[in-house]
Amino acid sequence: MSIAQNLLQIKAALPDEVTLVAVSKTKPIADLKQAYDAGQRVFGENKIQEMSEKWEQLPKDISWHMIGHVQSNKVKFMAPYVSLIHGVDRLSLLDEINKQAAKNNRIIDCLLQVHIAQEETKFGFDEQELKAAFDADAFAPYTNIKISGLMGMASFTSDINQIKAEFTQLKSLFDSMKNKPTAQVNLHILSMGMSGDYELAIACGSTMVRIGSSIFGSR
Ligand SMILES: *Cc1c(COP(=O)(O)O)cnc(C)c1O
């Protein structure tokens, strides 16, 4: 099937309240253009330089989401245009995002990445750390940032029950914190689910899925 067909088929099956981020990392501009022409306007990339090159070449009504691990010294390259940063995995990164957002006269939406997988390698806050940050209102100084939700990646495993338990854990953390908005925090986005597990993620309460290979083919 073509990229457009894959995209439309996935979209048709998503509930209205779930946003589809088309993960186009490593894929050429021509592939993104096919998805764009089929109506897709939200794209996810995991490298700032690659995303910036694509942003420069493609129509300006695209929303660009940074879904990968972010190095502080590269934030400045995406600050003028990025619409959502999914992978905020440490408080110190917010210093730099806030600084660069202010320079660009913008308020940048961010998701806090929560470590839900069993693997050691995945980035993110653990639950205790996150709760402590919320309790201490650690986000208050970042007046050019909006904390709009949480993001998580399940373990890379074929054990459905484990994946389900991890998504459920993130959903309950999200629910326990979403009703306490502050000036800088308003949790309404729960980003979880990729090609292999997005249906399960949606059943567990995801509002945003990040799908790459099921749209663009394997990388
Ligand atoms: C690559 C990537 C995805 C998409 O993965 P697929 O399995 O190709 O759908 C989603 N989220 C993150 C954080 C990624 O790095």
Side-chain angles (χ1 to χ4, degrees):
M1 285 214 300
S2 70
I3 289 170
Q5 284 170 325
N6 291 338
L7 181 75
L8 295 176
Q9 194 173 71
I10 290 168
K11 263 186 136 150
L14 290 186
D16 287 343
E17 68 278 9
V18 175
T19 302
L20 171 62
V21 180
V23 176
S24 47
K25 62 191 188 195
T26 79
K27 297 295 178 181
I29 293 279
D31 288 10
L32 280 74
K33 194 70 179 35
Q34 284 183 43
Y36 180 88
D37 289 341
Q40 184 63 21
R41 292 293 180 272
V42 183
F43 290 85
E45 292 282 334
N46 71 340
K47 295 210 165 66
I48 292 172
Q49 187 177 337
E50 182 179 342
M51 182 168 78
S52 295
E53 284 165 12
K54 289 172 173 172
W55 165 70
E56 278 167 17
Q57 294 179 54
L58 284 161
K60 292 296 172 281
D61 61 343
I62 291 176
S63 295
W64 292 98
H65 289 200
M66 173 43 56
I67 62 168
H69 180 67
V70 175
Q71 288 172 265
S72 292
N73 61 354
K74 298 203 174 139
V75 170
K76 57 178 177 285
F77 299 118
M78 66 175 166
Y81 69 88
V82 69
S83 69
L84 183 63
I85 302 175
H86 290 234
V88 174
D89 55 6
R90 58 202 189 277
L91 287 174
S92 61
L93 181 58
L94 291 172
D95 287 329
E96 182 62 15
I97 295 173
N98 192 63
K99 186 171 123 194
Q100 297 299 336
K103 269 193 190 165
N104 287 277
N105 227 335
R106 299 187 65 212
I107 292 178
I108 296 183
D109 279 311
C110 291
L111 307 181
L112 301 174
Q113 184 169 354
V114 186
H115 184 278
I116 52 171
Q118 302 267 302
E119 292 116 69
E120 278 302 317
T121 51
K122 297 235 164 83
F123 297 104
F125 293 91
D126 65 41
E127 212 173 305
Q128 263 53 49
E129 217 181 341
L130 204 63
K131 281 188 168 146
F134 277 94
D135 287 345
D137 206 7
F139 309 105
Y142 303 121
T143 51
N144 287 78
I145 289 176
K146 259 279 189 281
I147 305 290
S148 304
L150 303 180
M151 179 270 214
M153 285 170 86
S155 295
F156 186 71
T157 171
S158 54
D159 182 349
I160 303 285
N161 287 323
Q162 186 180 336
I163 297 173
K164 192 173 169 190
E166 292 170 0
F167 284 153
T168 304
Q169 180 199 343
L170 185 56
K171 164 72 169 152
S172 37
L173 184 64
F174 176 74
D175 284 343
S176 72
M177 302 199 297
K178 76 174 174 194
N179 295 321
K180 303 174 200 158
T182 67
Q184 260 53 65
V185 181
N186 182 6
L187 301 188
H188 57 98
I189 298 171
L190 182 55
S191 167
M192 58 183 197
M194 321 189 352
S195 291
D197 57 19
Y198 73 89
E199 283 154 327
L200 181 55
I202 291 168
C204 294
S206 170
T207 72
M208 188 173 274
V209 291
R210 310 175 308 269
I211 301 181
S213 44
S214 292
I215 297 172
F216 296 104
S218 58
R219 289 179 296 270

